[in-house]
Amino acid sequence: MPTNTWLDFWQEKNAFDQTMSINYAYFLDRVEQHVTLTKQTSVLDIGSGPGHLVDAWHDRVGQLVCLDVSKRYNDQVRCRYAHCPNVVVHDLPADDYLNFDMLHGQTFDLVIVMSVLQYYPDIAAVERLLNNLKQLAKPGTKILLCDLIVSRGVVNDVLSVLKRSWQEGRLLSMLSLLFQLRFSVYYATQKQNGFLVIPQREWLDLCKRLAINGRFLPEPITLQHDRLNLLIEF
């Protein structure tokens, strides 16, 4: 059966498997300007993919819980960290990926949602996510929604990531990724489904409507400088 939705896309091997680390390395170099990690910190990683956050933080925090719709990615992380009781991986059902019942009764100090929300179908799904996250928060919890597309325009997005990749000494790797994506199922899926674009003002209105304290970070923390990063604090 051909891939035709974003949920389908992430179930199969794809060009991001070996190259997500480029954006994640940039993010990891900058995120700790905004969050503090200790041996007591509990972290929730939504859309955890192949486990880049786990690789970087598993021995620096008290607990790291991963959620993803891709059982393929989840099994990779489970295999690598079977010896780490503080790393927990949950499969999100593709037909009910906003159901967090497996986390009932838990709260977290930090929630990371990295480059995920552009694949959501609409702002109603994002609102449901935020309502779910409110139930997992406690005083002092921080939630980072990263790599948010707030305006349309693929060209600027590509130029931005190429510029940062060049500055980081990773231009050839990024060019290779972009070439692979152009001639891959990713491009076809993007053409069919597009990305979710939520303007900056709508994000702030959504936070106000849900009584959430959210603000956009003044400086980029991901390679795509045309995208924004929203910090929510409880």
Side-chain angles (χ1 to χ4, degrees):
M1 177 178 170
T3 298
N4 54 19
T5 71
W6 287 123
L7 289 171
D8 296 326
F9 175 81
W10 294 111
Q11 304 305 322
E12 306 296 333
K13 293 183 68 173
N14 60 74
F16 285 102
D17 285 0
Q18 304 302 321
T19 53
M20 277 189 219
S21 57
I22 299 173
N23 194 33
Y24 239 100
Y26 192 93
F27 166 76
L28 289 168
D29 284 344
R30 291 158 178 78
V31 66
E32 288 185 65
Q33 302 171 45
H34 307 286
V35 302
T36 300
L37 304 181
T38 72
K39 286 290 189 178
Q40 287 72 49
T41 304
S42 56
V43 181
L44 175 63
D45 185 8
I46 297 178
S48 47
H52 294 301
L53 197 69
V54 180
D55 293 342
W57 288 359
H58 71 276
D59 57 353
R60 299 185 57 199
V61 301
Q63 183 185 41
L64 212 160
V65 176
C66 303
L67 304 182
D68 206 285
V69 296
S70 173
K71 189 174 186 304
R72 179 175 64 91
Y73 282 149
N74 291 342
D75 286 346
Q76 292 173 18
V77 177
R78 288 189 184 102
C79 182
R80 289 206 308 278
Y81 291 97
H83 62 289
C84 294
N86 68 322
V87 175
V88 179
V89 183
H90 294 292
D91 299 323
L92 287 177
D95 60 350
D96 197 12
Y97 57 90
L98 290 170
N99 183 347
F100 295 169
D101 284 351
M102 74 288 290
L103 303 178
H104 180 72
Q106 297 185 59
T107 58
F108 296 88
D109 300 300
L110 176 61
V111 180
I112 301 291
V113 187
M114 162 61 82
S115 200
V116 168
L117 298 183
Q118 67 265 33
Y119 304 116
Y120 275 30
D122 49 43
I123 194 170
V126 174
E127 183 167 352
R128 183 179 169 196
L129 171 70
L130 293 180
N131 273 318
N132 288 346
L133 294 182
K134 287 176 67 175
Q135 308 308 311
L136 303 174
K138 57 187 176 182
T141 293
K142 291 185 176 182
I143 299 171
L144 264 175
L145 308 180
C146 304
D147 238 16
L148 304 176
I149 301 178
V150 296
S151 61
R152 300 188 184 279
V154 174
V155 173
N156 286 340
D157 211 28
V158 170
L159 290 177
S160 175
V161 74
L162 286 176
K163 179 181 178 182
R164 302 308 157 193
S165 299
W166 175 72
Q167 292 173 340
E168 294 287 309
R170 299 186 176 96
L171 181 59
L172 289 179
S173 297
M174 183 55 66
L175 285 171
S176 174
L177 171 61
L178 293 175
F179 181 82
Q180 292 177 60
L181 293 179
R182 175 59 182 84
F183 298 99
S184 73
V185 175
Y186 182 88
Y187 182 78
T189 306
Q190 190 272 327
K191 290 286 286 184
Q192 183 171 342
N193 298 277
F195 294 128
L196 178 61
V197 179
I198 302 177
Q200 187 172 357
R201 182 69 258 168
E202 288 187 34
W203 274 109
L204 296 177
D205 288 345
L206 179 58
C207 289
K208 183 177 181 180
R209 184 163 71 249
L210 298 179
I212 289 174
N213 178 25
R215 61 182 176 86
F216 285 101
L217 299 183
E219 71 286 337
I221 57 173
T222 68
L223 279 171
Q224 289 93 337
H225 282 199
D226 281 357
R227 301 185 184 186
L228 297 183
N229 304 278
L230 183 69
L231 175 63
I232 296 171
E233 299 178 277
F234 288 86

